[in-house]
Amino acid sequence: MAAAVEEAAEALSVLLGPAAGTEARTGAAEAALALSGTAEGRRLLTERPRLLRALLELAAGPGPARRCLLNVSAEPAARGTLLPALPALVPLVPAGPVCGLLANLSREPGGARAVLRALGSRWDALLRALVQPRPPPELGPLLCNLSQVPEGRSRLLDRSRCAVQRLLPFTQYRGSTELRRGVVGALRNCCFQHEHHEWLLSEAVDILPFLLLPLAGPEELPEHDMERLPPDLQYLPQDKQREEEPDIRRMLLEAIMLLTATGPGRRRVRDMGTYVVLRELHGWEQHPGVRAACERLLQVLIGDEPPPGMENLLEVNIPEDVEQQLQRLDLEEEEQQWWEPEPDPEGPSR
């Protein structure tokens, strides 16, 4: 059996080679793509670097090779062959399958840094793709994964490129859950940089309404509450729907929570009527994890200010015993969420 598999893999390698001709290579790439649709097939391809190198050569043009490599890149073992090939892959950005492949390669911080270094000036191609009529959905996970490291957040927060401003409209983007989820994750990650909070909350970016709008519903509010809200959140239509994905709602809440890390940020978030939106969300929310995140944020907004020396919540040193208790509570919350069904008609994000 093993000999037959080796023989078939060798035949596929020959057919993928340049001597086989265009038609034969395309057919072989189609066969490899079908093979990559199963975990066993991906492992078979991963264990044969020669096959991957042949597919990488074919990936220079459109066709099944790119989609095959995207599937194979989900296997951690394949990254040892694919990461050195970044110089050949980066010029293909922002093609959707290539963005997805790079997203898989950048799931870990080390891979994210390698992809960022390889991207170089092609970073601007990613940003330009955001203004296409239909940006590739895979761009969202890629930007989210790159923003997990400070170098990636620095690029998104580069004020000369207006990158964050290009991301903001996608918090309400209905064309792709995958793209919307990734962009919200990237914005959440950017909010870890508290030194940029004042700019993010200023009129130059005005990030808060874009984070609040997906959390707002169609409820009729008293006039005094309505006046506290930014104009974009006032008098919403009766058919206004909240973000349907619980994990995206949670990330939006986490982003706002991060913006409350400093005293000026907390005042700005309070002054823009955030409490009103979260109060209505809390009454509507059914998902236990998202509801808990909403309650934590509400507590920050209505609670007393921290004592002197602890105004920046991102710089506070948490005692080890308290940190362990928080980790235990987070684990219990995750276990609770595990048993909460979350149907997703679109299936996995990638």
Side-chain angles (χ1 to χ4, degrees):
M1 184 66 174
V5 170
E6 286 296 334
E7 185 176 344
E10 180 61 28
L12 190 58
S13 296
V14 172
L15 291 172
L16 286 169
T22 302
E23 187 174 345
R25 297 180 84 189
T26 302
E30 290 283 3
L33 174 60
L35 197 61
S36 70
T38 67
E40 183 180 2
R42 289 192 294 274
R43 285 194 296 271
L44 186 147
L45 292 168
T46 297
E47 293 167 358
R48 290 159 178 81
R50 180 181 171 185
L51 279 174
L52 294 185
R53 287 192 290 270
L55 288 165
L56 284 165
E57 290 180 10
L58 282 176
R66 293 181 182 182
R67 300 196 301 277
C68 177
L69 289 170
L70 168 59
N71 291 345
V72 173
S73 66
E75 298 291 325
R79 294 167 199 169
T81 300
L82 296 177
L83 278 171
L86 282 173
L89 292 169
V90 162
L92 307 177
V93 165
V98 178
C99 286
L101 193 161
L102 296 182
N104 283 336
L105 295 182
S106 57
R107 287 182 176 179
E108 302 296 330
R113 291 187 172 94
V115 171
L116 281 166
R117 286 193 298 269
L119 276 171
S121 62
R122 293 299 294 173
W123 175 260
D124 291 328
L126 292 182
L127 299 184
R128 288 195 297 271
L130 290 169
V131 299
Q132 294 178 359
R134 290 190 64 83
E138 299 89 347
L139 184 54
L142 175 57
L143 291 173
C144 184
N145 289 350
L146 295 179
S147 67
Q148 71 177 297
V149 295
E151 300 93 322
R153 296 194 291 273
S154 177
R155 292 200 186 186
L156 286 174
L157 291 164
D158 183 346
R159 303 183 189 190
S160 67
R161 286 186 163 91
C162 296
V164 167
Q165 291 92 326
R166 299 191 204 195
L167 295 180
L168 294 177
F170 289 97
T171 64
Q172 287 277 103
Y173 183 66
R174 313 314 299 173
S176 166
T177 301
E178 182 180 10
L179 179 55
R180 189 170 75 253
R181 177 182 287 113
V183 165
V184 170
L187 289 171
R188 186 270 313 270
N189 290 346
C190 286
C191 290
F192 276 100
Q193 304 299 129
H194 65 83
E195 65 274 18
H196 291 277
H197 284 182
E198 183 178 355
W199 175 68
L200 289 170
L201 289 166
S202 72
E203 292 183 0
V205 180
D206 203 20
I207 190 174
L208 190 56
F210 289 93
L211 300 176
L212 286 173
L213 190 55
L215 300 174
E219 295 86 2
E220 293 186 15
L221 300 172
E223 194 66 27
H224 66 274
D225 279 344
M226 195 74 72
E227 292 174 353
R228 298 169 60 188
L229 295 170
D232 289 345
L233 278 84
Q234 295 180 6
Y235 304 104
L236 298 176
Q238 288 300 306
D239 60 353
K240 170 67 171 71
Q241 295 183 347
R242 289 183 171 89
E243 166 60 54
E244 65 266 24
E245 298 295 330
D247 63 323
I248 298 180
R249 295 198 301 275
R250 176 181 53 78
M251 287 191 291
L252 289 163
L253 290 166
E254 289 170 351
I256 301 170
M257 175 71 90
L258 289 166
L259 291 171
T260 67
T262 64
R266 285 189 292 279
R267 288 191 291 273
R268 178 66 172 163
V269 171
R270 289 186 183 116
D271 290 346
M272 294 186 72
T274 302
Y275 172 80
V276 174
V277 176
L278 298 187
R279 181 192 66 201
E280 300 301 319
L281 172 66
H282 186 265
W284 172 90
E285 184 62 63
Q286 298 296 314
H287 189 281
V290 183
R291 189 179 176 90
C294 184
E295 290 171 353
R296 288 193 292 268
L297 181 50
L298 282 168
Q299 192 61 46
V300 169
L301 295 179
I302 65 177
D304 296 331
E305 279 294 293
M310 301 182 68
E311 294 91 344
N312 189 331
L313 303 181
L314 288 176
E315 293 181 341
V316 173
N317 291 321
I318 302 175
E320 185 176 353
D321 59 330
V322 175
E323 186 171 7
Q324 290 175 352
Q325 183 181 8
L326 291 173
Q327 290 174 350
R328 178 178 57 78
L329 292 172
D330 284 344
L331 181 60
E332 291 176 357
E333 181 181 312
E334 289 176 6
E335 290 173 348
Q336 184 181 19
Q337 292 181 45
W338 175 261
W339 294 106
E340 182 73 16
E342 296 178 19
D344 183 354
E346 296 191 17
S349 64
R350 63 172 179 254

